[in-house]
Amino acid sequence: MSEFPSFLQRRNTMVSWMNKRQPVARGLMWLAAFSAAACLVVPKGLALFAACLLLATLLVPDAIVFALRHATPAIRWLLAMVALVLTVAIASMVYAGQGWHVLDNPSRLLLIPWGACLAWAIRLPRRALWYGALVGLLVAFIVATVQLAGGTARADAGTNPIVFANAVLVLLVLAVFCRPLGRDPRVLAVLTIALVLGAVTIVLSGSRGALPGLGLVLLIVLVGGDARRRWLRLGMAVSAVVLLFVMLWSIPWLSAQTRLDAVHSDWDGYAQGQVDTPIGARLALLSLAGDAFLRAPWTGVGIDGFGQEVDRASYCQAAPRHLCDLAHAHNDIAQWAATMGVPGLLALLAIYFVPLAIAARQLSRKPPSSPVGAAWAAGVMVVVYLLSGLTQSMFAHAMTTSAYAVFIGLLLGIALRETEASRDR
């Protein structure tokens, strides 16, 4: 019996130590979430996030186990999703005889369940993401204006104009849907500034692929969540978004900056065999991806094999072309189908629809309110990636893959806690 008090003493000491570590871990995760958004468009901007995430995990490793055991099955679904993606990617790598480096981007998706576990276990507030997104939008706007003032045709923050625009769109989603709930005039003023900064920066990038996602975000903001006169607000919101796109199309400088003035000529050029235009290249790449999928529907050409398909294309035999430097299909569905076949398509659908289903379930468990909260942010972010993925291989780039993994994981972990809190009220 003398050992029993000793056991209780050791257990109480461990619990006390865990309670002391929790605030430190929460502070580290707050800094991680803030820095991930604030430094997203900065070179190596996620380094601080990675360091803080690792330190928080080492400080409270039991939080991961606790989350897996006691959280809702949602986190286990996220683990299963990542396991499916990595299994398909590894099988494709082995089948095609490629090196382990091809797993760089797929392995980043491990951050989804990892971040969700920690965000849920230590009760990370979504305001950390909101503050970080506001700073990130300001940084992106300053970088874009400085680049254009220096003579750069399209703002890219030293990466790629399309990737840069999609990163800004991700920050805009966080700034809009992670804001504090309510109609505080100061919050609404900050929201308006964030929308202007995000929209202008995307226009300065010259990326057309981000415009549908931008339109979706603006539409949700203008419609709001109040049931009164919703149809009237919806009509007004649609009219406002349409007016915005008409302005982009009809005002010469805006049309030239967003390259909307070249859409018609690009289409005509492709009909005449020209593939060195943005639209012509995308249509040619879609054709190559379709041929690759039909040739090997169950295996694809290998996770990193699409570049070889481009090299073998007839377009690249006669003379060097810009198209021949592209190693991905500029469309996520086409890319995953061509490189990993039907299993790749299923894995991609899981990447999209498992987080979307979890976010939708959290929204269904909460009373109707304004479109604000982590579940809203996660759901809209998935849809934005779906839309952007129609004209860009979002998961072929490190920045957009990392942004999806980091923010979807954190947002879903926060959303699970927000749902529990709303039920306890």
Side-chain angles (χ1 to χ4, degrees), residues 25-392:
R26 185 178 293 114
L28 285 170
M29 284 303 297
W30 198 101
L31 180 58
F34 173 84
S35 65
C39 303
L40 182 62
V41 300
V42 177
K44 306 294 182 183
L46 291 177
L48 180 57
F49 165 82
C52 291
L53 179 71
L54 184 58
L55 287 174
T57 303
L58 294 174
L59 198 61
V60 285
D62 43 294
I64 302 286
V65 178
F66 182 78
L68 291 174
R69 286 182 177 178
H70 301 284
T72 65
I75 293 180
R76 290 189 286 275
W77 276 107
L78 293 175
L79 270 174
M81 174 200 75
V82 175
L84 170 64
V85 173
L86 289 179
T87 299
V88 171
I90 291 171
S92 180
M93 176 195 73
V94 173
Y95 168 78
Q98 296 162 336
W100 288 96
H101 67 279
V102 302
L103 299 181
D104 181 19
N105 285 339
S107 64
R108 293 169 190 258
L109 297 176
L110 286 166
L111 290 168
I112 296 179
W114 188 355
C117 282
L118 281 175
W120 180 85
I122 68 172
R123 302 176 185 270
L124 178 69
R126 74 169 186 267
R127 192 166 292 197
L129 290 171
W130 185 58
Y131 288 144
L134 295 177
V135 174
L137 285 172
L138 181 59
V139 170
F141 175 76
I142 292 173
V143 168
T145 52
V146 168
Q147 284 192 305
L148 261 73
T152 303
R154 298 173 62 189
D156 60 5
T159 56
N160 172 312
I162 302 172
V163 172
F164 175 63
N166 287 317
V168 173
L169 188 55
V170 166
L171 294 176
L172 193 59
V173 170
L174 295 175
V176 169
F177 298 101
C178 289
R179 71 185 191 272
L181 187 62
R183 301 190 63 83
D184 186 332
R186 293 170 298 180
V187 173
L188 295 179
V190 171
L191 172 63
T192 303
I193 295 172
L195 287 169
V196 171
L197 290 179
V200 170
T201 305
I202 289 173
V203 169
L204 295 181
S205 74
S207 174
R208 295 173 295 205
L211 294 179
L214 175 62
L216 174 67
V217 172
L218 293 175
L219 191 63
I220 297 175
V221 170
L222 293 173
V223 172
D226 194 345
R228 294 174 298 177
R229 299 183 178 179
R230 177 173 293 170
W231 289 108
L232 176 61
R233 290 201 312 277
L234 178 61
M236 295 174 64
V238 170
S239 300
V241 172
V242 169
L243 178 61
L244 172 63
F245 281 94
V246 169
M247 291 173 58
L248 290 176
W249 197 292
S250 58
I251 297 177
W253 182 84
L254 290 175
S255 182
Q257 183 62 37
T258 55
R259 298 174 303 136
L260 291 174
D261 60 344
V263 170
H264 188 269
S265 60
D266 283 4
W267 275 103
D268 289 344
Y270 180 73
Q272 299 171 16
Q274 297 177 14
V275 295
D276 268 348
T277 62
I279 291 178
R282 280 172 171 80
L283 293 174
L285 291 169
L286 286 176
S287 177
L288 293 175
D291 292 341
F293 176 73
L294 292 175
R295 193 167 64 250
W298 293 103
T299 61
V301 297
I303 185 173
D304 197 35
F306 191 76
Q308 297 173 4
E309 294 295 306
V310 176
D311 292 338
R312 287 194 293 265
S314 59
Y315 306 113
C316 300
Q317 300 305 312
R321 298 174 183 267
H322 171 67
L323 168 71
C324 306
D325 296 329
L326 302 175
H328 51 82
H330 272 267
N331 177 290
D332 273 324
I333 295 174
Q335 175 76 15
W336 287 59
T339 55
M340 292 177 280
V342 172
L345 272 178
L346 294 176
L348 180 64
L349 291 176
I351 292 173
Y352 286 139
F353 290 106
V354 170
L356 187 60
I358 294 171
R361 184 162 179 77
Q362 304 315 305
L363 289 174
S364 69
R365 292 181 171 183
K366 296 170 65 176
S369 62
S370 297
V372 175
W376 269 103
V380 173
M381 190 172 294
V382 172
V383 177
V384 161
Y385 264 72
L386 268 166
L387 293 173
S388 297
L390 297 175
T391 56
Q392 169 69 359

